[in-house]
Amino acid sequence: MHKCPFHEQSSGAIEGGEINSIHCPDCGDYRISEVALQQISNLQNPPRGWFDVVARGQLISTRMTRELFA
């Protein structure tokens, strides 16, 4: 998967192996690990706190996505 799992109007590419660089007009631009992207890919809507995580501008890791579900 190389786009935002929540919005069809997004695009993305793999950079450096397992890092996805996503451009989403609704969520913003973010970088996310392949495993973290797989964790959230089955959700219909962004989890609570998603936009805060994206706004930090850091690489979104598996650990970060697990914390969203806690």
Side-chain angles (χ1 to χ4, degrees):
M1 173 178 288
H2 306 295
K3 64 180 193 168
C4 181
F6 311 118
H7 302 103
E8 288 292 320
Q9 299 290 337
S10 63
S11 62
I14 290 192
E15 71 177 57
E18 81 133 38
I19 305 301
N20 289 275
S21 180
I22 309 290
H23 171 71
C24 178
D26 296 304
C27 292
D29 294 341
Y30 59 96
R31 294 171 60 235
I32 186 168
S33 75
E34 185 69 29
V35 175
L37 188 57
Q38 289 174 5
Q39 284 181 327
I40 62 171
S41 66
N42 63 345
L43 300 176
Q44 295 290 326
N45 297 304
R48 184 180 309 226
W50 172 251
F51 295 103
D52 294 330
V53 170
V54 171
R56 288 185 207 142
Q58 301 171 326
L59 172 66
I60 300 170
S61 66
T62 305
R63 179 177 163 201
M64 289 174 155
T65 55
R66 282 188 198 135
E67 289 173 0
L68 289 173
F69 299 117

